[in-house]
Amino acid sequence: MPDDFLNLGAGSPFGLFGRGRPAHKTVLVAGGAGFVGSHLIDRLLANGHRVICLDNLSTGRLANIAAHAANERFTLIRQDVCDPIQIAGAVDEIFNLACPASPPKYQKDPVHTFRTSVIGAMNLLELARAKGARIFQASTSEVYGDPEVSLQSENYRGNVNTFGPRACYDEGKRAAETLFHDYHHQHGVEIRIARIFNTYGPRMCPDDGRVVSNFVVQALSGRDMTIHGDGSQTRSFCYVDDLVEGILRLMASAVSEPVNLGNPGEFTMAELAAIVREKTGTTARLVHRPLPTDDPRQRRPDISRARKALGWAPLVALSEGLDRTIAHFAAELGRPLPSRTEKVA
């Protein structure tokens, strides 16, 4: 990676059109070297925008954004979002994806995770206030905790333990939503909030620790596939391309209330393991481990608000998305691609 990849300039080169609005926007993506953030940057650059990626690379990877190193419309600022943020020139939109979503990674330094969610959000909100920018918050389905209702709609207030190993993330995201609400109502900042449900796809880290990457990496490596609990707990899996489309539609909308973004298709962990086993052709054993503390028993989004307000619903079926994800991990791990899995570009 060349040293000049860390280009710190931030002025916008684009002209104006229509009613004084920029023909192309200058967009800041905090956490842009991460799994979801890098896919979002791909779309923003493809749409002609100038993109500033702010990432401390604690969990994000340069490999995720390396394709844009020579793009004059792309800038990387290597910085922790908890530190004061100074950007020269105009910023039209800000996307806050700056917090690890992997339980093993966010639990490694829970105090910093909470600071990232709260202090980081405040720093970006202050920047949005100063620049007159619209700002997006990547919130999470974890704000619902271990839900007592299904489906989970945006009106459900959750069942969250404030005193446990997941609280640094769950409560940090809840506090960030409060900050967004208050900056909107007190300072007039334009906000957008997505409550993101389980997302998967290429560029997940092999050691991400979430169930899709765990199962796929274990299967491809011939290691035991670990199921926590009895495997009856459920998740709803949204392919990353569908999520990015929802994020962009939400940012372009007039919706300032939280919006669920996820795939309402619901699968047990045992069902997911069986699908991955079949697709990879693995002979790996299934072994059971204790269920982690506060691990939700069920997760399934009500996406009625997204359908109505954004005209959005996920399009990629789990089978198709897993084929693409398995192909990605096979290439990254240097493993032969399973013959039953289609190769993707």
PDB file of all heavy atoms in Angstrom, residues 200 212 216 237 239 272 275-276 279 316-328 341:
ATOM      1  N   TYR A 200     -24.349 -10.124   6.301  1.00  0.00           N
ATOM      2  CA  TYR A 200     -23.237 -11.012   5.948  1.00  0.00           C
ATOM      3  C   TYR A 200     -22.837 -10.753   4.504  1.00  0.00           C
ATOM      4  O   TYR A 200     -23.558 -10.084   3.745  1.00  0.00           O
ATOM      5  CB  TYR A 200     -23.649 -12.480   6.127  1.00  0.00           C
ATOM      6  CG  TYR A 200     -24.638 -12.956   5.080  1.00  0.00           C
ATOM      7  CD1 TYR A 200     -24.231 -13.714   3.989  1.00  0.00           C
ATOM      8  CD2 TYR A 200     -25.991 -12.599   5.168  1.00  0.00           C
ATOM      9  CE1 TYR A 200     -25.137 -14.111   3.020  1.00  0.00           C
ATOM     10  CE2 TYR A 200     -26.893 -12.993   4.211  1.00  0.00           C
ATOM     11  CZ  TYR A 200     -26.473 -13.752   3.132  1.00  0.00           C
ATOM     12  OH  TYR A 200     -27.368 -14.133   2.168  1.00  0.00           O
ATOM     13  N   VAL A 212     -22.250 -16.496  10.624  1.00  0.00           N
ATOM     14  CA  VAL A 212     -22.030 -16.861   9.218  1.00  0.00           C
ATOM     15  C   VAL A 212     -20.549 -17.061   8.942  1.00  0.00           C
ATOM     16  O   VAL A 212     -20.134 -18.086   8.378  1.00  0.00           O
ATOM     17  CB  VAL A 212     -22.626 -15.794   8.272  1.00  0.00           C
ATOM     18  CG1 VAL A 212     -22.189 -16.062   6.834  1.00  0.00           C
ATOM     19  CG2 VAL A 212     -24.150 -15.779   8.353  1.00  0.00           C
ATOM     20  N   VAL A 216     -18.768 -20.715   7.975  1.00  0.00           N
ATOM     21  CA  VAL A 216     -18.135 -20.854   6.660  1.00  0.00           C
ATOM     22  C   VAL A 216     -16.646 -21.129   6.807  1.00  0.00           C
ATOM     23  O   VAL A 216     -16.100 -22.033   6.162  1.00  0.00           O
ATOM     24  CB  VAL A 216     -18.386 -19.603   5.798  1.00  0.00           C
ATOM     25  CG1 VAL A 216     -17.553 -19.656   4.521  1.00  0.00           C
ATOM     26  CG2 VAL A 216     -19.867 -19.477   5.458  1.00  0.00           C
ATOM     27  N   PHE A 237     -30.914 -13.033   8.190  1.00  0.00           N
ATOM     28  CA  PHE A 237     -29.655 -12.676   7.548  1.00  0.00           C
ATOM     29  C   PHE A 237     -29.887 -11.845   6.287  1.00  0.00           C
ATOM     30  O   PHE A 237     -30.556 -12.289   5.351  1.00  0.00           O
ATOM     31  CB  PHE A 237     -28.870 -13.938   7.198  1.00  0.00           C
ATOM     32  CG  PHE A 237     -28.542 -14.775   8.408  1.00  0.00           C
ATOM     33  CD1 PHE A 237     -29.260 -15.932   8.682  1.00  0.00           C
ATOM     34  CD2 PHE A 237     -27.538 -14.394   9.283  1.00  0.00           C
ATOM     35  CE1 PHE A 237     -28.966 -16.697   9.793  1.00  0.00           C
ATOM     36  CE2 PHE A 237     -27.244 -15.161  10.401  1.00  0.00           C
ATOM     37  CZ  PHE A 237     -27.954 -16.309  10.654  1.00  0.00           C
ATOM     38  N   TYR A 239     -28.105  -9.862   3.082  1.00  0.00           N
ATOM     39  CA  TYR A 239     -26.881  -9.768   2.297  1.00  0.00           C
ATOM     40  C   TYR A 239     -26.444  -8.313   2.209  1.00  0.00           C
ATOM     41  O   TYR A 239     -27.263  -7.393   2.122  1.00  0.00           O
ATOM     42  CB  TYR A 239     -27.108 -10.348   0.906  1.00  0.00           C
ATOM     43  CG  TYR A 239     -25.836 -10.483   0.106  1.00  0.00           C
ATOM     44  CD1 TYR A 239     -24.852 -11.397   0.470  1.00  0.00           C
ATOM     45  CD2 TYR A 239     -25.611  -9.687  -1.004  1.00  0.00           C
ATOM     46  CE1 TYR A 239     -23.678 -11.514  -0.252  1.00  0.00           C
ATOM     47  CE2 TYR A 239     -24.443  -9.804  -1.740  1.00  0.00           C
ATOM     48  CZ  TYR A 239     -23.474 -10.718  -1.361  1.00  0.00           C
ATOM     49  OH  TYR A 239     -22.303 -10.824  -2.068  1.00  0.00           O
ATOM     50  N   LEU A 272     -29.004 -22.999   9.644  1.00  0.00           N
ATOM     51  CA  LEU A 272     -27.896 -22.341   8.951  1.00  0.00           C
ATOM     52  C   LEU A 272     -26.695 -23.274   8.845  1.00  0.00           C
ATOM     53  O   LEU A 272     -26.055 -23.367   7.786  1.00  0.00           O
ATOM     54  CB  LEU A 272     -27.504 -21.058   9.685  1.00  0.00           C
ATOM     55  CG  LEU A 272     -26.308 -20.305   9.093  1.00  0.00           C
ATOM     56  CD1 LEU A 272     -26.634 -19.770   7.699  1.00  0.00           C
ATOM     57  CD2 LEU A 272     -25.871 -19.167  10.013  1.00  0.00           C
ATOM     58  N   ILE A 275     -27.208 -25.765   6.077  1.00  0.00           N
ATOM     59  CA  ILE A 275     -27.070 -25.165   4.742  1.00  0.00           C
ATOM     60  C   ILE A 275     -25.594 -24.999   4.389  1.00  0.00           C
ATOM     61  O   ILE A 275     -25.158 -25.329   3.277  1.00  0.00           O
ATOM     62  CB  ILE A 275     -27.807 -23.816   4.669  1.00  0.00           C
ATOM     63  CG1 ILE A 275     -29.314 -24.017   4.833  1.00  0.00           C
ATOM     64  CG2 ILE A 275     -27.523 -23.111   3.340  1.00  0.00           C
ATOM     65  CD1 ILE A 275     -30.098 -22.725   5.021  1.00  0.00           C
ATOM     66  N   VAL A 276     -24.807 -24.485   5.335  1.00  0.00           N
ATOM     67  CA  VAL A 276     -23.377 -24.279   5.079  1.00  0.00           C
ATOM     68  C   VAL A 276     -22.682 -25.616   4.860  1.00  0.00           C
ATOM     69  O   VAL A 276     -21.822 -25.755   3.970  1.00  0.00           O
ATOM     70  CB  VAL A 276     -22.729 -23.484   6.231  1.00  0.00           C
ATOM     71  CG1 VAL A 276     -21.207 -23.442   6.073  1.00  0.00           C
ATOM     72  CG2 VAL A 276     -23.289 -22.060   6.281  1.00  0.00           C
ATOM     73  N   LYS A 279     -23.501 -26.747   1.314  1.00  0.00           N
ATOM     74  CA  LYS A 279     -22.887 -25.932   0.262  1.00  0.00           C
ATOM     75  C   LYS A 279     -21.371 -26.121   0.191  1.00  0.00           C
ATOM     76  O   LYS A 279     -20.782 -26.002  -0.889  1.00  0.00           O
ATOM     77  CB  LYS A 279     -23.228 -24.462   0.464  1.00  0.00           C
ATOM     78  CG  LYS A 279     -24.659 -24.103   0.088  1.00  0.00           C
ATOM     79  CD  LYS A 279     -24.909 -22.611   0.203  1.00  0.00           C
ATOM     80  CE  LYS A 279     -26.296 -22.258  -0.341  1.00  0.00           C
ATOM     81  NZ  LYS A 279     -26.395 -22.480  -1.807  1.00  0.00           N
ATOM     82  N   VAL A 316     -31.761 -10.501  -2.173  1.00  0.00           N
ATOM     83  CA  VAL A 316     -30.846 -11.636  -2.278  1.00  0.00           C
ATOM     84  C   VAL A 316     -31.243 -12.709  -1.269  1.00  0.00           C
ATOM     85  O   VAL A 316     -31.225 -12.474  -0.051  1.00  0.00           O
ATOM     86  CB  VAL A 316     -29.387 -11.197  -2.047  1.00  0.00           C
ATOM     87  CG1 VAL A 316     -28.446 -12.399  -2.139  1.00  0.00           C
ATOM     88  CG2 VAL A 316     -28.990 -10.123  -3.062  1.00  0.00           C
ATOM     89  N   ALA A 317     -31.592 -13.879  -1.765  1.00  0.00           N
ATOM     90  CA  ALA A 317     -31.963 -15.006  -0.899  1.00  0.00           C
ATOM     91  C   ALA A 317     -30.728 -15.519  -0.168  1.00  0.00           C
ATOM     92  O   ALA A 317     -29.595 -15.378  -0.637  1.00  0.00           O
ATOM     93  CB  ALA A 317     -32.595 -16.111  -1.722  1.00  0.00           C
ATOM     94  N   LEU A 318     -30.944 -16.143   0.987  1.00  0.00           N
ATOM     95  CA  LEU A 318     -29.826 -16.637   1.783  1.00  0.00           C
ATOM     96  C   LEU A 318     -28.962 -17.610   0.981  1.00  0.00           C
ATOM     97  O   LEU A 318     -27.730 -17.554   1.055  1.00  0.00           O
ATOM     98  CB  LEU A 318     -30.353 -17.323   3.050  1.00  0.00           C
ATOM     99  CG  LEU A 318     -29.286 -17.892   3.982  1.00  0.00           C
ATOM    100  CD1 LEU A 318     -28.383 -16.798   4.527  1.00  0.00           C
ATOM    101  CD2 LEU A 318     -29.937 -18.663   5.139  1.00  0.00           C
ATOM    102  N   SER A 319     -29.553 -18.492   0.210  1.00  0.00           N
ATOM    103  CA  SER A 319     -28.774 -19.461  -0.556  1.00  0.00           C
ATOM    104  C   SER A 319     -27.819 -18.768  -1.517  1.00  0.00           C
ATOM    105  O   SER A 319     -26.631 -19.116  -1.604  1.00  0.00           O
ATOM    106  CB  SER A 319     -29.718 -20.394  -1.327  1.00  0.00           C
ATOM    107  OG  SER A 319     -28.980 -21.332  -2.081  1.00  0.00           O
ATOM    108  N   GLU A 320     -28.318 -17.779  -2.238  1.00  0.00           N
ATOM    109  CA  GLU A 320     -27.476 -17.048  -3.190  1.00  0.00           C
ATOM    110  C   GLU A 320     -26.389 -16.256  -2.464  1.00  0.00           C
ATOM    111  O   GLU A 320     -25.228 -16.247  -2.870  1.00  0.00           O
ATOM    112  CB  GLU A 320     -28.340 -16.104  -4.027  1.00  0.00           C
ATOM    113  CG  GLU A 320     -27.555 -15.262  -5.028  1.00  0.00           C
ATOM    114  CD  GLU A 320     -28.422 -14.257  -5.762  1.00  0.00           C
ATOM    115  OE1 GLU A 320     -29.660 -14.293  -5.589  1.00  0.00           O
ATOM    116  OE2 GLU A 320     -27.859 -13.428  -6.501  1.00  0.00           O
ATOM    117  N   GLY A 321     -26.766 -15.576  -1.392  1.00  0.00           N
ATOM    118  CA  GLY A 321     -25.792 -14.795  -0.641  1.00  0.00           C
ATOM    119  C   GLY A 321     -24.698 -15.661  -0.039  1.00  0.00           C
ATOM    120  O   GLY A 321     -23.519 -15.277  -0.014  1.00  0.00           O
ATOM    121  N   LEU A 322     -25.064 -16.843   0.451  1.00  0.00           N
ATOM    122  CA  LEU A 322     -24.057 -17.745   1.009  1.00  0.00           C
ATOM    123  C   LEU A 322     -23.104 -18.244  -0.069  1.00  0.00           C
ATOM    124  O   LEU A 322     -21.901 -18.404   0.178  1.00  0.00           O
ATOM    125  CB  LEU A 322     -24.729 -18.924   1.703  1.00  0.00           C
ATOM    126  CG  LEU A 322     -25.320 -18.638   3.086  1.00  0.00           C
ATOM    127  CD1 LEU A 322     -26.052 -19.860   3.617  1.00  0.00           C
ATOM    128  CD2 LEU A 322     -24.242 -18.189   4.074  1.00  0.00           C
ATOM    129  N   ASP A 323     -23.604 -18.501  -1.282  1.00  0.00           N
ATOM    130  CA  ASP A 323     -22.712 -18.902  -2.371  1.00  0.00           C
ATOM    131  C   ASP A 323     -21.626 -17.844  -2.583  1.00  0.00           C
ATOM    132  O   ASP A 323     -20.441 -18.165  -2.712  1.00  0.00           O
ATOM    133  CB  ASP A 323     -23.495 -19.097  -3.665  1.00  0.00           C
ATOM    134  CG  ASP A 323     -24.299 -20.393  -3.698  1.00  0.00           C
ATOM    135  OD1 ASP A 323     -24.002 -21.287  -2.867  1.00  0.00           O
ATOM    136  OD2 ASP A 323     -25.204 -20.505  -4.532  1.00  0.00           O
ATOM    137  N   ARG A 324     -22.023 -16.580  -2.621  1.00  0.00           N
ATOM    138  CA  ARG A 324     -21.061 -15.496  -2.836  1.00  0.00           C
ATOM    139  C   ARG A 324     -20.095 -15.382  -1.653  1.00  0.00           C
ATOM    140  O   ARG A 324     -18.898 -15.144  -1.839  1.00  0.00           O
ATOM    141  CB  ARG A 324     -21.793 -14.171  -3.028  1.00  0.00           C
ATOM    142  CG  ARG A 324     -22.747 -14.134  -4.211  1.00  0.00           C
ATOM    143  CD  ARG A 324     -23.444 -12.786  -4.290  1.00  0.00           C
ATOM    144  NE  ARG A 324     -24.548 -12.775  -5.245  1.00  0.00           N
ATOM    145  CZ  ARG A 324     -25.325 -11.714  -5.460  1.00  0.00           C
ATOM    146  NH1 ARG A 324     -25.135 -10.599  -4.782  1.00  0.00           N
ATOM    147  NH2 ARG A 324     -26.303 -11.781  -6.349  1.00  0.00           N
ATOM    148  N   THR A 325     -20.628 -15.548  -0.465  1.00  0.00           N
ATOM    149  CA  THR A 325     -19.809 -15.412   0.740  1.00  0.00           C
ATOM    150  C   THR A 325     -18.808 -16.555   0.854  1.00  0.00           C
ATOM    151  O   THR A 325     -17.635 -16.347   1.194  1.00  0.00           O
ATOM    152  CB  THR A 325     -20.718 -15.358   1.983  1.00  0.00           C
ATOM    153  OG1 THR A 325     -21.666 -14.300   1.823  1.00  0.00           O
ATOM    154  CG2 THR A 325     -19.904 -15.116   3.244  1.00  0.00           C
ATOM    155  N   ILE A 326     -19.253 -17.758   0.568  1.00  0.00           N
ATOM    156  CA  ILE A 326     -18.357 -18.913   0.601  1.00  0.00           C
ATOM    157  C   ILE A 326     -17.244 -18.752  -0.433  1.00  0.00           C
ATOM    158  O   ILE A 326     -16.069 -19.042  -0.148  1.00  0.00           O
ATOM    159  CB  ILE A 326     -19.147 -20.215   0.376  1.00  0.00           C
ATOM    160  CG1 ILE A 326     -20.055 -20.488   1.592  1.00  0.00           C
ATOM    161  CG2 ILE A 326     -18.220 -21.396   0.122  1.00  0.00           C
ATOM    162  CD1 ILE A 326     -21.106 -21.561   1.345  1.00  0.00           C
ATOM    163  N   ALA A 327     -17.584 -18.259  -1.619  1.00  0.00           N
ATOM    164  CA  ALA A 327     -16.572 -18.033  -2.651  1.00  0.00           C
ATOM    165  C   ALA A 327     -15.534 -17.028  -2.181  1.00  0.00           C
ATOM    166  O   ALA A 327     -14.328 -17.190  -2.408  1.00  0.00           O
ATOM    167  CB  ALA A 327     -17.236 -17.565  -3.943  1.00  0.00           C
ATOM    168  N   HIS A 328     -15.974 -15.982  -1.517  1.00  0.00           N
ATOM    169  CA  HIS A 328     -15.049 -14.969  -0.994  1.00  0.00           C
ATOM    170  C   HIS A 328     -14.107 -15.572   0.032  1.00  0.00           C
ATOM    171  O   HIS A 328     -12.884 -15.382  -0.040  1.00  0.00           O
ATOM    172  CB  HIS A 328     -15.832 -13.825  -0.359  1.00  0.00           C
ATOM    173  CG  HIS A 328     -15.004 -12.964   0.537  1.00  0.00           C
ATOM    174  ND1 HIS A 328     -14.166 -11.985   0.062  1.00  0.00           N
ATOM    175  CD2 HIS A 328     -14.865 -12.959   1.895  1.00  0.00           C
ATOM    176  CE1 HIS A 328     -13.541 -11.410   1.081  1.00  0.00           C
ATOM    177  NE2 HIS A 328     -13.952 -11.979   2.195  1.00  0.00           N
ATOM    178  N   THR A 341     -20.646 -24.585  -5.256  1.00  0.00           N
ATOM    179  CA  THR A 341     -20.804 -23.155  -5.030  1.00  0.00           C
ATOM    180  C   THR A 341     -20.346 -22.395  -6.253  1.00  0.00           C
ATOM    181  O   THR A 341     -19.226 -22.580  -6.715  1.00  0.00           O
ATOM    182  CB  THR A 341     -19.968 -22.711  -3.820  1.00  0.00           C
ATOM    183  OG1 THR A 341     -20.394 -23.448  -2.675  1.00  0.00           O
ATOM    184  CG2 THR A 341     -20.144 -21.223  -3.547  1.00  0.00           C
TER     185      THR A 341
END
